[in-house]
């Protein structure tokens, strides 16, 4: 069998390799996990992206720099600089497949380049709002055209959960597949005792999607419980979130930690009763996997429970609103036996469902068994 080569295009992954404190989302963490897992089963993986700094990349042999994002004349540089260099980089990689992890205008451009070079294009659906009509409302017609182009030209559309799969398979039935996220980190061998838990953890970029107003309401309902919030504040924070953030800062039980390195996030989660998710929408949050890996249950809004995993596997609780959260959380911390059971379930669930090698084999099986 011919060795397969997959190119993962992600600017943020290139930056993250150079700087562990570089702010990136779950899609970038997935790229690095897929690359690592697929390499371990014999697939040649290449990482490609744009960066202005290559000083710390010399030790990596599988990276291609597409272009310097600081060079060129704005708008015009797409045509005379960025697109030509991207085409040259992908051509030089000799990859069989091109992977892009977030649908958007750039995924459409990469899809076009892939078709020009006769490469198979893999598009990952990173969030539920990409699977329905919500993205269309938020963007302009030109960006939406390229967004749709990415899906139309994709050879494989990889969904994270049942909702995404249902929506995308209605539009593109022959090329839509479900593949849950891999986890490249270590799993705790033992659960963390309840007595060592100290707070509720909230992890993410402070932005509209993360529903800061609900976080404020929940923190107010439990004034005696410490809340620790990890993450940077978005530069495009909406007015409602700004107001909620201001009130959160004045609550005595809320502590802002700023952006943390992965090992510090895991330490925070390890010492927390639960990970709290308040988002308006998610896909399959990687912070869930990080919490489960250290035996910490997750409390999520009902619509952010991907594939019903939290409810079905007793990995935490789903709640409807701030009052419902307070009732369920209070009940949990009064029942240590139930808490311990959830903690054990978290570790077992990770072993059975998000093993890096197992998921990488599933990824490979999809693209090799389905010649589209």
């Amino acid at each position: 069998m011919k060795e397969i080569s997959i190119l993962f295009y992600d600017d943020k992954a290139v930056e993250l390799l150079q700087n562990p404190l570089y702010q990136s989302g779950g899609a970038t963490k997935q790229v690095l996990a897929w690359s690592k897992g697929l390499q371990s089963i014999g697939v040649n993986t290449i990482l490609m992206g744009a960066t202005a700094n290559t000083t710390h990349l010399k030790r990596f042999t599988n990276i291609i720099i597409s272009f310097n994002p600081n060079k060129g004349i704005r708008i015009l540089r797409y045509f005379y600089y960025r697109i030509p260099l991207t085409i040259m980089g992908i051509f030089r990689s000799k990859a069989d497949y091109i992977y892009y992890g977030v649908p958007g205008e750039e995924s459409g451009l990469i899809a076009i380049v892939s078709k020009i070079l006769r490469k198979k294009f893999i598009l990952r659906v990173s969030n539920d709002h990409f699977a329905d009509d919500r993205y269309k409302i938020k963007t302009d017609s030109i960006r939406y055209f390229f967004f749709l182009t990415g899906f139309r030209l994709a050879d494989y559309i990889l969904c994270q959960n049942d909702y995404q799969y249902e929506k995308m398979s209605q539009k593109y039935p022959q090329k839509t597949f479900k593949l849950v996220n891999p986890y490249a980190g270590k799993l705790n061998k033992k659960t963390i005792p309840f007595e060592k838990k100290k707070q509720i953890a909230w992890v993410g970029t402070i932005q509209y999607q993360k529903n800061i107003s609900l976080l404020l309401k929940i923190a107010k309902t439990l004034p005696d419980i410490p809340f620790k919030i990890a993450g940077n504040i978005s530069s495009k924070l909406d007015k409602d979130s700004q107001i909620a953030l201001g009130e959160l800062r004045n609550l005595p039980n809320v502590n802002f930690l700023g952006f943390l390195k992965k090992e510090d996030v895991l330490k925070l989660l390890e010492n927390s009763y639960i990970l709290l998710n308040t988002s308006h929408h998610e896909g399959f949050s990687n912070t869930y996997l990080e919490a489960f890996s250290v035996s910490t249950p997750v409390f999520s809004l009902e619509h952010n429970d991907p594939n019903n995993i939290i409810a079905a596997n007793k990995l935490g609780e789903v709640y409807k609103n701030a009052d419902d959260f307070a009732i369920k959380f209070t009940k949990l911390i009064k029942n240590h036996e139930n808490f311990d059971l959830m903690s054990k379930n978290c570790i077992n669930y990770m072993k059975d469902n998000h093993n890096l090698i197992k998921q990488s084999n599933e990824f490979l099986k999809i693209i090799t068994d389905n010649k589209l």
Side-chain angles (χ1 to χ4, degrees), residues 69-80 82 143:
N70 296 335
K71 285 187 177 182
I73 303 169
R74 290 190 66 183
I75 300 177
L76 292 178
R77 61 189 175 192
Y78 275 96
F79 304 100
Y80 78 86
R82 294 188 173 188
R143 287 186 172 87

Side-chain angles (χ1 to χ4, degrees), residues 305-320:
D305 182 4
N307 305 336
N308 198 38
I309 62 166
I310 295 173
N313 297 284
K314 296 184 179 178
L315 307 176
E317 293 280 2
V318 294
Y319 65 94
K320 297 177 181 179

Side-chain angles (χ1 to χ4, degrees), residues 210-241:
K210 300 300 182 180
N211 202 347
I212 308 306
S213 298
L214 177 58
L215 175 58
L216 171 64
K217 290 177 183 177
I218 289 174
K220 284 182 173 180
T221 63
L222 296 167
D224 296 327
I225 301 294
F227 284 72
K228 290 197 175 180
I229 298 173
N232 282 346
I233 300 171
S234 170
S235 59
K236 299 178 181 179
L237 197 62
D238 63 285
K239 188 175 181 179
D240 287 343
S241 296

Side-chain angles (χ1 to χ4, degrees), residues 121-137:
F121 182 61
I122 305 166
L123 183 57
R124 180 67 155 167
V125 183
S126 56
N127 195 297
D128 287 356
H129 76 272
F130 292 129
D132 48 39
D133 293 329
R134 281 176 284 179
Y135 183 78
K136 184 178 182 180
I137 299 170

Side-chain angles (χ1 to χ4, degrees), residues 198-212:
K198 302 173 183 176
Q199 68 267 323
I200 290 174
W202 186 99
V203 180
T205 301
I206 298 172
Q207 58 183 330
Y208 171 77
Q209 178 197 330
K210 300 300 182 180
N211 202 347
I212 308 306

